[in-house]
Amino acid sequence: MALMGGFARIGNNKITILVKNTEKSSDIDPEEAKQTLEIAEANLSKAEGKRQLIEANLSLA
Protein backbone atom coordinates (compact mmCIF):
# COMPACT_ATOMS: atom_id res chain seq x y z
CA MET A 1 0.00 0.00 0.00
CA ALA A 2 1.27 3.47 -0.84
CA LEU A 3 0.65 6.25 1.68
CA MET A 4 0.71 9.83 0.44
CA GLY A 5 0.94 12.83 2.70
CA GLY A 6 0.29 12.81 6.40
CA PHE A 7 1.94 12.38 9.75
CA ALA A 8 3.20 9.63 12.01
CA ARG A 9 3.39 9.74 15.80
CA ILE A 10 5.36 7.25 17.88
CA GLY A 11 4.91 7.00 21.63
CA ASN A 12 4.58 4.33 24.31
CA ASN A 13 5.48 1.58 21.81
CA LYS A 14 2.53 2.63 19.66
CA ILE A 15 2.53 4.10 16.15
CA THR A 16 -0.32 6.30 14.94
CA ILE A 17 -0.36 7.17 11.24
CA LEU A 18 -2.65 9.81 9.72
CA VAL A 19 -2.55 9.91 5.93
CA LYS A 20 -4.15 12.09 3.29
CA ASN A 21 -4.46 9.40 0.64
CA THR A 22 -3.74 5.70 0.11
CA GLU A 23 -3.50 3.44 -2.89
CA LYS A 24 -3.35 -0.34 -3.04
CA SER A 25 -0.25 -1.69 -4.75
CA SER A 26 -2.47 -3.80 -7.01
CA ASP A 27 -4.07 -0.58 -8.32
CA ILE A 28 -0.71 0.98 -9.28
CA ASP A 29 0.48 0.53 -12.86
CA PRO A 30 4.29 0.18 -12.54
CA GLU A 31 4.98 1.63 -16.00
CA GLU A 32 2.78 4.67 -15.38
CA ALA A 33 4.37 5.18 -11.95
CA LYS A 34 7.85 5.01 -13.51
CA GLN A 35 6.95 7.60 -16.15
CA THR A 36 5.40 9.90 -13.55
CA LEU A 37 8.53 9.63 -11.39
CA GLU A 38 10.80 10.40 -14.34
CA ILE A 39 8.77 13.51 -15.19
CA ALA A 40 8.82 14.70 -11.58
CA GLU A 41 12.60 14.15 -11.34
CA ALA A 42 13.15 16.07 -14.61
CA ASN A 43 11.00 18.95 -13.38
CA LEU A 44 12.97 19.06 -10.13
CA SER A 45 16.31 19.14 -11.93
CA LYS A 46 15.26 22.10 -14.10
CA ALA A 47 13.38 24.05 -11.42
CA GLU A 48 14.37 27.70 -11.18
CA GLY A 49 13.51 29.82 -8.21
CA LYS A 50 12.04 28.96 -4.86
CA ARG A 51 8.44 28.52 -6.04
CA GLN A 52 9.30 26.09 -8.86
CA LEU A 53 11.57 24.18 -6.49
CA ILE A 54 8.81 23.82 -3.90
CA GLU A 55 6.26 22.77 -6.53
CA ALA A 56 8.70 20.25 -8.05
CA ASN A 57 9.46 18.75 -4.63
CA LEU A 58 5.75 18.42 -3.88
CA SER A 59 5.18 16.74 -7.23
CA LEU A 60 8.06 14.36 -6.59
CA ALA A 61 6.71 13.45 -3.17
Side-chain angles (χ1 to χ4, degrees), residues 30-47 52-53 55-61:
E31 198 55 42
E32 182 181 345
K34 182 180 176 185
Q35 289 174 349
T36 301
L37 177 61
E38 289 171 355
I39 292 167
E41 289 173 337
N43 288 338
L44 180 60
S45 70
K46 63 182 179 185
Q52 283 186 357
L53 188 59
E55 289 173 349
N57 273 306
L58 287 171
S59 178
L60 185 60

Side-chain angles (χ1 to χ4, degrees), residues 6-18:
F7 301 91
R9 178 180 168 203
I10 303 170
N12 297 325
N13 291 325
K14 189 176 182 180
I15 300 173
T16 303
I17 301 173
L18 302 171

